[in-house]
């Protein structure tokens, strides 16, 4: 990755006599050593990515990549927890890193300021280092399909989350294992077979750009709140950690593949 687009951040210093994660270790079936080995790639540090990044840092992940192309705007501040009024106009990844470092318990934080669609090769490079991928970029179904295709190619679990793009009162979280189950292509309606073919497993990790994909502007102007983002993001990270610690097998339970929370009625589907 070029120096202009990625600046490596050093891990925060850890006090040798303090166990920051002592309370986590008390949790049933918890394995902090396994958590410490995880490397997360967080696509987008908006309403979804901010909270996911904070969760990963507070849990004690080894390393996180945070990627975004935007700068902080005033309308981000109601729900994107890593930013303040003083950050308006700054690159999101830089402001996010500064904020995360104040809470850092030993995670290396790597910001990547770039457009994931145009500079797809940077997404591929970072993804190759990761053990879990969080997708919170609002481009549309074809971008989500591209990310799912890459995750399957690289055998990385994937979590996708967001609020509904119109009213913001419903949040959906989808989880896919490293083997691509459930089938992402079966869950979304991709009518352009030519574009879908260009995002196939055979080529997805070799593409320099995916600027040929259709964009969906519906996702750019919807409603959202801090609580809907937070509930969704904590659910995303919770599903990821359950899988990474092998809770489903160890505790003889099913791993949810989709969780939908209706914020108006507080009904939950899974």
């Amino acid at each position: 990755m070029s120096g202009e687009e990625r600046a490596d951040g050093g891990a925060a210093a850890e006090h040798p006599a303090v166990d920051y994660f002592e309370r986590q270790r008390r949790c049933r079936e918890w394995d902090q050593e396994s958590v410490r080995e995880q490397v997360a790639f967080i696509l987008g540090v908006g309403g979804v990515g901010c909270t996911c990044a904070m969760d990963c840092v507070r849990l004690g992940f080894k390393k996180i990549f945070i990627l975004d192309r935007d700068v902080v705007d005033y309308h981000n501040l109601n729900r994107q927890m890593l930013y303040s009024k003083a950050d308006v106009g700054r690159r999101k990844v830089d402001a996010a890193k500064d904020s995360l470092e104040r809470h850092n318990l030993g995670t290396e934080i790597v910001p990547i300021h770039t457009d994931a669609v145009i500079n797809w090769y940077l997404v591929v490079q970072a993804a190759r280092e990761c053990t879990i991928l969080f997708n919170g970029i609002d481009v549309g179904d074809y971008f989500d399909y591209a990310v799912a295709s890459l995750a399957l190619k690289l055998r990385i679990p994937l979590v996708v989350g967001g609020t509904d793009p119109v009213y913001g009162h419903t949040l959906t979280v989808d989880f896919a294992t490293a083997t691509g189950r459930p089938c992402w292509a079966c869950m979304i309606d991709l009518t352009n077979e030519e574009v879908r073919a260009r995002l196939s497993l055979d080529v997805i990790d070799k593409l320099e750009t995916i600027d040929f994909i259709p964009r969906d502007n519906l996702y750019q102007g919807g409603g959202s709140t801090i609580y809907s983002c937070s509930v969704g993001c904590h659910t995303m990270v919770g599903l990821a950690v359950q899988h990474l610690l092998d809770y489903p097998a160890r505790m003889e339970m099913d791993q949810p593949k989709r969780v939908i929370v209706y914020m108006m009625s507080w009904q939950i589907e899974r």
Side-chain angles (χ1 to χ4, degrees), residues 158-220:
L158 167 67
V159 194
V160 181
T163 54
D164 81 80
V166 180
Y167 301 111
H169 295 308
T170 302
L171 65 91
T172 302
V173 175
D174 290 304
F175 174 84
T177 67
T179 58
R181 296 291 182 270
C183 169
W184 196 262
C186 304
M187 296 171 61
I188 53 180
D189 185 20
L190 301 179
T191 58
N192 192 321
E193 290 297 331
E194 180 182 352
V195 172
R196 180 172 167 176
R198 295 177 69 180
L199 301 172
S200 71
L201 289 177
D202 294 335
V203 299
I204 193 63
D205 61 333
K206 302 177 181 65
L207 297 172
E208 292 289 313
T209 184
I210 56 171
D211 59 358
F212 54 84
I213 64 171
R215 311 288 184 100
D216 190 343
N217 294 325
L218 177 65
Y219 291 89
Q220 301 304 314

Side-chain angles (χ1 to χ4, degrees), residues 4-118:
E4 294 180 354
E5 290 165 320
R6 166 178 163 178
D8 286 335
E14 296 186 60
H15 194 293
V18 173
D19 181 4
Y20 296 110
F21 309 106
E22 187 266 339
R23 296 299 290 268
Q24 286 177 191
R25 296 179 194 277
R26 299 184 188 184
C27 294
R28 180 183 177 189
E29 304 292 337
W30 193 261
D31 184 351
Q32 187 62 35
E33 285 64 41
S34 292
V35 172
R36 181 60 188 157
E37 293 304 311
Q38 303 308 319
V39 179
F41 190 6
I42 300 167
L43 288 164
V45 275
V48 169
C50 281
T51 305
C52 286
M54 179 67 80
D55 283 2
C56 292
V57 164
R58 286 299 185 103
L59 285 166
F61 276 34
K62 178 180 179 181
K63 184 176 184 177
I64 64 170
F65 294 89
I66 52 175
L67 181 149
D68 207 294
R69 68 175 186 176
D70 287 332
V71 298
V72 180
D73 205 340
Y74 70 92
H75 60 76
N76 301 144
L77 301 182
N78 77 307
R79 68 199 186 284
Q80 299 180 16
M81 64 181 296
L82 296 180
Y83 312 126
S84 70
K85 289 184 285 186
D87 293 316
V88 172
R90 295 186 66 199
R91 290 179 173 184
K92 280 190 173 182
V93 293
D94 296 336
K97 183 179 186 300
D98 288 347
S99 182
L100 288 166
E101 290 291 7
R102 292 193 288 272
H103 301 269
N104 199 355
L105 304 179
T107 299
E108 181 181 357
I109 303 167
V110 181
I112 308 171
H113 178 76
T114 196
D115 186 314
V117 174
I118 295 174

Side-chain angles (χ1 to χ4, degrees), residues 104-138:
N104 199 355
L105 304 179
T107 299
E108 181 181 357
I109 303 167
V110 181
I112 308 171
H113 178 76
T114 196
D115 186 314
V117 174
I118 295 174
N119 296 313
W120 177 254
Y121 71 97
L122 293 176
V123 175
V124 176
Q125 288 179 17
R128 291 188 186 280
E129 297 187 40
C130 296
T131 60
I132 186 72
L133 203 162
F134 297 95
N135 180 16
I137 291 183
D138 296 330

